[in-house]
Amino acid sequence: MAEAHAAVAFSFAITHEGFDINYDHEVLNLVWNSGVRSWKKRLGRARNGVRNGVYPAHIQSLWLISAIALGLHFAGYQAPFNLTNRILVHLPSNTVNWQMTACFLAALVVWLSICFTMRYTLKLLLMYKGWMYESRAPGSRVSLPTVLWVAVVRVLSSWNKPGLYSFQGSLPRLPLPSVKDTMTRYLRSVRPLLDDENYTRMERLANEFEQTIGKKLQWYLILKSWWSTNYVSDWWEEYVYLRGRSPLCVNSNFYGTDAIFMNLTDKQAARAANVISLLLNFRRLIEHQELQPIMVQGMIPLCSWQYERTFNTARVPGLETDRIIHYRDSNHIVVLHKGCYYKMLIYYKGRILRPCELQVQIEEILKGKATPVEGEEHLAALTAWNRSKWAEARNTFFSWGVNQTSLRTIESAAFVLSLDDEPFEFDLARPELLDNFGKKLLHGNGYNRWFDKCFTVCVGTNGRVGFNAEHTWSDAAIASHMWENLIVDDLVSDGYDESGNTKGTPEFQPPTPTRLPWDLKPCMAQIEEATIDVTKLINEVNLRILVHQDYGKGFMKKCRISPDAFIQMALQLAYYRDAGRFSLTYEASMTRLFREGRTETVRPCTIESSAWVKAMQNPDTTNDERVKMLRAACDRHQLGYQDAMCGRGIDRHLFCLYVVSKYLEVDSPFLNEVLSEPWRLSTSQTPHGQTPKMDLKKHPNCISAGGGFGPVADDGYGVSYIIAGENLIFFHISAKTTCQQTDVHRFAQNISQALSDIRSMFEQHMKDHPKPAKSLTNGKST
């Protein structure tokens, strides 16, 4: 009861002398500051709402137009459409004050008309996607429509400095493909996976679906695409993520690593304090909408909708479906250390704590002798458990008393910080160290990560960091942007002194972190069962992080091939050599060129890629033929990627058709078979370079090693890669140890060999076909 008593701000008692009121000045001051901060945020959101509503116009331009309206009226000239006099007729009198009011209202009408004209003009322009398909090869010419489009878009998008959400109202809706187009693309994508007999059968199923039930399902999707902001995203979040009953650990959550080639400090408390401070600064940029939206080629905005839930967010389990809870504000984080949970305030005396003050709090936790109460050490295993079982336990044991209060403290925290009691190591001569680094971030020991939280920051004893993120609230690109921003700022801010501690001197003694109280004896059986299940789960997963240093995107560009297409073809070759067959391959691409866009699937296994892979295995194929076939395969892959980004993908449309069929209780053999096909090779490129602050030429060791995820299929691989520089690529390869057909070490060797073979192929091609030399005198070929 001591913790509950300390939380009371004031109390009163009735005595024979009257009321006796006691109150805690410090707690009331915290309440007051929290309220002031909340109202400031509300006012800021209101101001930003107005600014975003009129973007790309300036709010200040209203005063200019008002001054013009006043000048015209009192100089005896009429405003456009005689607006001033028309408004003045409806006002109480014709005095100077009312004339000024009429001028202002007329100016407001004109100003709003200009604002919305600019806004919808920009929206119409952003619907054009022809620029995506323009050739970027050296010497190629851009079409005249694209040149004109670029000029107008550049003017409108740079007319006013945008806030984070300024473009949201100007982004177009995700287009709905026709059933016929989707069927054509789908059949082409599965052709290399099926023999003639099975392909003929699938072709018949697709044609039957298109001519019958597909038409009816499409009509419902047309209505949804007209009515909703995005016809995919809400269903994708609901049915792919929230209704999934599998554990989040390994199956859904993903991880990100530190910049492994640099080590800013070896002090755990100092690195943790700086990371907390930098993350809170990033949260402030989001809340104040000062974070610049990502612009493709500096002028085409991406949707920023997902940033809203980056902090103060948790996924809450339900018996049938989970839900995402986002808190408007949070003045604390939760720290997990040696099985104990601490609430750590990040605001004090009206301001955010500085890194040196945060370090004092972290050191108090690290130096403490606290031991976990019964069940507390393994408590987080519940978040790595089957979602329905966790929901049942939550409803039974965490819906009242101290357990409810402590659980709410975790879920409402800005994020969770895990102070691990082991180092995160890296050594090129010992690759198993980096593998272990990735495993610790992917799943830890199963109960030292709060998998329901938006993200858990993990700090090793040697000062290296990483994170484990829940996937529902956003895609990896958002977390990657946050993490990239943190790594760059941590490097350039020079926040550590010579001894490795944070710079600066605390202005006051920061508040001591407080232990979260628990009463876990009634649910010990559930905690023990969850611990057993998650231990079995993580033992079934193996991870290999391949560091490829022979070459990177520099050589790929020299070959005049898209680096992403280059790597995807290498993965196709590696998988064919590993499994002896082709497989349905998943590559994630973004659809954030549209409002509330998330992802679409690119299918890298194509007719062209399979033909090239077979040519690589055929010794009778000449080197020139292989190069020609690889270029054709990469061009086809690029077209598939462009189609996916432009809303012309396959899988999200089929997914939504399937959801409608389930609502209508209509059975479709075609959709049932399509949606049950396993993705035995699931791939994703970790995006980087999202912040202009990252200058790899100036700070070559600043790049993160990327991150990864667990395998999607029990008999498949999960592969995440990051093209980290001109001569560096990281591959994060995961697979189940229970499958005899997969082996992450063997697949990593196959990837290395595939990349080596492609390089040899191009080097031979360049040797056989040297470029003509340029004359030093006249620039002509000699």
Side-chain angles (χ1 to χ4, degrees):
M1 294 299 292
E3 294 86 355
H5 182 73
V8 176
F10 64 91
S11 61
F12 69 91
I14 299 177
T15 67
H16 64 280
E17 296 179 351
F19 292 99
D20 181 19
I21 301 178
N22 299 306
Y23 54 88
D24 189 327
H25 287 278
E26 185 173 350
V27 177
L28 287 180
N29 188 49
L30 288 175
V31 173
W32 170 260
N33 288 333
S34 178
V36 170
R37 188 172 67 254
S38 178
W39 276 106
K40 285 182 178 179
K41 288 187 175 182
R42 291 181 185 180
L43 291 174
R45 290 190 190 104
R47 183 183 66 252
N48 287 328
V50 174
R51 183 182 69 171
N52 295 335
V54 301
Y55 189 87
H58 290 265
I59 296 179
Q60 292 82 353
S61 60
L62 173 61
W63 313 123
L64 174 62
I65 295 178
S66 298
I68 293 173
L70 287 168
L72 288 174
H73 178 74
F74 288 103
Y77 297 98
Q78 290 186 357
F81 305 106
N82 198 22
L83 278 176
T84 304
N85 292 328
R86 290 186 178 184
I87 293 173
L88 191 58
V89 172
H90 300 282
L91 297 181
S93 66
N94 196 24
T95 61
V96 173
N97 287 338
W98 285 114
Q99 290 183 48
M100 293 177 65
T101 301
C103 290
F104 176 77
L105 292 175
L108 182 62
V109 171
V110 172
W111 179 72
L112 288 175
S113 300
I114 295 173
C115 290
F116 284 106
T117 299
M118 293 177 67
R119 177 170 176 171
Y120 284 101
T121 299
L122 180 59
K123 187 170 187 175
L124 288 172
L125 289 168
L126 293 177
M127 293 175 68
Y128 173 71
K129 295 294 182 288
W131 62 273
M132 284 283 294
Y133 299 91
E134 298 279 356
S135 174
R136 293 171 177 80
S140 59
R141 298 185 63 181
V142 180
S143 65
L144 180 60
T146 298
V147 171
L148 296 175
W149 174 84
V150 166
V152 180
V153 170
R154 191 175 294 279
V155 169
L156 286 176
S157 61
S158 60
W159 183 271
N160 184 7
K161 184 180 180 181
L164 180 60
Y165 305 121
S166 292
F167 287 104
Q168 292 302 101
S170 299
L171 289 172
R173 299 188 183 204
L174 183 69
L176 177 65
S178 69
V179 175
K180 181 179 178 60
D181 287 347
T182 299
M183 293 301 102
T184 301
R185 292 191 181 99
Y186 172 77
L187 289 173
R188 195 183 196 285
S189 72
V190 297
R191 187 64 187 96
L193 307 174
L194 303 174
D195 56 29
D196 292 343
E197 182 181 350
N198 282 317
Y199 179 76
T200 301
R201 181 183 61 83
M202 182 56 72
E203 198 173 30
R204 176 178 53 81
L205 287 175
N207 290 333
E208 288 178 358
F209 173 78
E210 181 184 345
Q211 298 301 324
T212 56
I213 189 62
K215 295 180 179 180
K216 181 178 181 180
L217 303 182
Q218 180 76 353
W219 272 112
Y220 283 95
L221 279 189
I222 291 173
L223 290 174
K224 188 174 190 289
S225 68
W226 288 347
W227 179 253
S228 60
T229 307
N230 187 298
Y231 81 92
V232 176
S233 293
D234 56 341
W235 282 354
W236 187 253
E237 181 174 301
E238 175 71 18
Y239 295 105
V240 172
Y241 292 115
L242 296 178
R243 293 210 179 189
R245 299 294 86 194
S246 299
L248 300 182
C249 175
V250 174
N251 296 309
S252 179
N253 285 28
F254 59 92
Y255 70 90
T257 62
D258 203 353
I260 57 175
F261 290 107
M262 67 180 189
N263 196 5
L264 301 174
T265 177
D266 60 358
K267 294 189 180 297
Q268 186 178 25
R271 188 72 193 282
N274 252 354
V275 166
I276 293 170
S277 179
L278 292 171
L279 287 173
L280 294 176
N281 288 339
F282 191 78
R283 183 178 75 161
R284 181 183 178 279
L285 292 177
I286 293 175
E287 291 175 341
H288 293 195
Q289 299 187 27
E290 295 172 357
L291 184 69
Q292 292 295 298
I294 296 177
M295 309 283 281
V296 179
Q297 299 183 0
M299 63 176 183
I300 305 152
L302 298 184
C303 178
S304 302
W305 160 69
Q306 295 178 59
Y307 286 91
E308 182 179 358
R309 301 185 293 185
T310 306
F311 296 88
N312 323 333
T313 301
R315 174 168 166 172
V316 176
L319 295 176
E320 295 182 356
T321 181
D322 295 355
R323 56 196 174 97
I324 286 286
I325 294 182
H326 173 68
Y327 295 85
R328 284 283 188 172
D329 191 20
S330 179
N331 65 350
H332 71 279
I333 65 170
V334 167
V335 180
L336 174 56
H337 177 59
K338 291 187 176 181
C340 298
Y341 291 82
Y342 300 84
K343 178 181 179 180
M344 186 173 130
L345 293 179
I346 51 181
Y347 282 93
Y348 192 63
K349 294 188 180 295
R351 68 165 174 83
I352 191 171
L353 295 177
R354 295 162 55 202
C356 58
E357 295 157 353
L358 293 168
Q359 183 176 347
V360 172
Q361 294 178 297
I362 298 293
E363 288 175 341
E364 288 187 46
I365 295 174
L366 292 173
K367 294 175 182 178
K369 304 297 183 182
T371 57
V373 300
E374 185 178 5
E376 185 179 11
E377 182 179 5
H378 294 171
L379 175 62
L382 293 173
T383 67
W385 205 16
N386 174 277
R387 302 304 292 173
S388 296
K389 291 183 177 180
W390 169 211
E392 186 176 350
R394 188 180 192 276
N395 295 339
T396 305
F397 305 108
F398 295 86
S399 58
W400 52 274
V402 294
N403 288 348
Q404 182 190 42
T405 303
S406 296
L407 181 60
R408 179 179 174 83
T409 300
I410 296 175
E411 293 176 345
S412 63
F415 55 88
V416 171
L417 176 77
S418 178
L419 298 172
D420 287 11
D421 51 6
E422 54 186 335
F424 298 161
E425 297 175 297
F426 168 69
D427 186 347
L428 280 174
R430 300 174 61 193
E432 70 276 4
L433 293 179
L434 187 57
D435 297 347
N436 290 331
F437 190 173
K439 291 176 184 177
K440 291 170 186 175
L441 298 176
L442 176 62
H443 49 63
N445 59 16
Y447 43 83
N448 59 354
R449 312 280 180 258
W450 196 267
F451 295 100
D452 284 359
K453 198 64 188 155
C454 48
F455 61 91
T456 299
V457 176
C458 314
V459 188
T461 54
N462 59 348
R464 292 196 184 276
V465 297
F467 71 89
N468 179 288
E470 203 278 317
H471 210 326
T472 311
W473 62 273
S474 84
D475 300 310
I478 308 303
S480 176
H481 185 190
M482 173 191 73
W483 201 245
E484 179 181 291
N485 191 83
L486 179 148
I487 288 175
V488 175
D489 284 349
D490 204 8
L491 174 66
V492 301
S493 62
D494 189 26
Y496 306 95
D497 59 25
E498 294 180 355
S499 62
N501 292 306
T502 54
K503 290 184 176 180
T505 303
E507 295 182 359
F508 46 73
Q509 180 64 31
T512 301
T514 57
R515 283 283 304 277
L516 297 185
W518 302 100
D519 179 16
L520 302 175
K521 290 182 179 180
C523 58
M524 283 303 301
Q526 287 77 10
I527 294 176
E528 291 174 1
E529 183 182 348
T531 304
I532 293 172
D533 288 351
V534 71
T535 302
K536 179 182 178 182
L537 175 63
I538 64 180
N539 287 338
E540 291 178 348
V541 177
N542 204 356
L543 182 70
R544 173 78 174 93
I545 302 179
L546 171 65
V547 185
H548 180 80
Q549 298 185 93
D550 292 344
Y551 65 91
K553 66 180 179 182
F555 178 78
M556 299 173 190
K557 290 180 179 179
K558 187 178 179 181
C559 299
R560 296 186 179 181
I561 289 181
S562 158
D564 181 73
F566 191 106
I567 290 178
Q568 284 293 333
M569 295 307 106
L571 292 175
Q572 288 298 307
L573 179 58
Y575 185 86
Y576 187 83
R577 288 172 173 175
D578 186 88
R581 56 184 168 85
F582 296 108
S583 176
L584 192 62
T585 307
Y586 183 108
E587 182 188 4
S589 77
M590 62 92 174
T591 56
R592 289 170 58 203
L593 291 170
F594 303 95
R595 190 171 182 180
E596 295 186 13
R598 292 199 61 161
T599 60
E600 177 58 275
T601 305
V602 183
R603 297 185 169 214
C605 185
T606 61
I607 297 172
E608 291 79 6
S609 69
S610 60
W612 169 74
V613 168
K614 290 177 181 177
M616 291 294 291
Q617 298 299 97
N618 183 2
D620 296 331
T621 310
T622 66
N623 194 71
D624 285 353
E625 289 174 331
R626 290 174 176 174
V627 170
K628 182 178 179 181
M629 295 172 78
L630 176 58
R631 292 192 186 280
C634 290
D635 289 343
R636 168 53 63 177
H637 179 268
Q638 276 297 95
L639 179 60
Y641 206 100
Q642 291 161 345
D643 283 343
M645 289 183 65
C646 294
R648 299 169 185 164
I650 300 168
D651 292 277
R652 297 302 178 268
H653 187 200
L654 293 176
F655 162 76
C656 289
L657 289 170
Y658 181 76
V659 172
V660 175
S661 73
K662 290 301 178 182
Y663 272 120
L664 298 178
E665 298 182 351
V666 175
D667 186 64
S668 169
F670 170 75
L671 290 176
N672 290 338
E673 184 164 342
V674 170
L675 271 295
S676 63
E677 293 171 343
W679 300 97
R680 291 190 176 90
L681 182 56
S682 182
T683 70
S684 178
Q685 180 180 175
T686 302
H688 70 98
Q690 299 186 79
T691 169
K693 293 185 290 186
M694 177 170 280
D695 186 351
L696 293 181
K697 293 181 179 179
K698 187 177 181 181
H699 307 292
N701 293 332
C702 192
I703 188 71
S704 165
F709 50 86
V712 173
D714 290 340
D715 58 347
Y717 293 104
V719 181
S720 176
Y721 54 92
I722 180 171
I723 307 171
E726 297 299 313
N727 296 291
L728 183 63
I729 311 171
F730 291 95
F731 293 89
H732 299 246
I733 309 161
S734 62
K736 292 289 184 72
T737 58
T738 52
C739 178
Q740 300 299 319
Q741 289 75 39
T742 56
D743 183 281
V744 293
H745 298 282
R746 184 184 70 220
F747 193 52
Q749 291 175 353
N750 282 324
I751 292 175
S752 294
Q753 187 61 51
L755 290 169
S756 177
D757 290 347
I758 298 174
R759 179 178 187 175
S760 299
M761 180 185 72
F762 270 109
E763 286 178 340
Q764 182 63 43
H765 181 73
M766 294 173 186
K767 183 178 180 181
D768 295 340
H769 303 277
K771 291 182 179 180
K774 296 291 183 179
S775 169
L776 297 178
T777 56
N778 57 16
K780 296 180 181 180
S781 300
T782 59

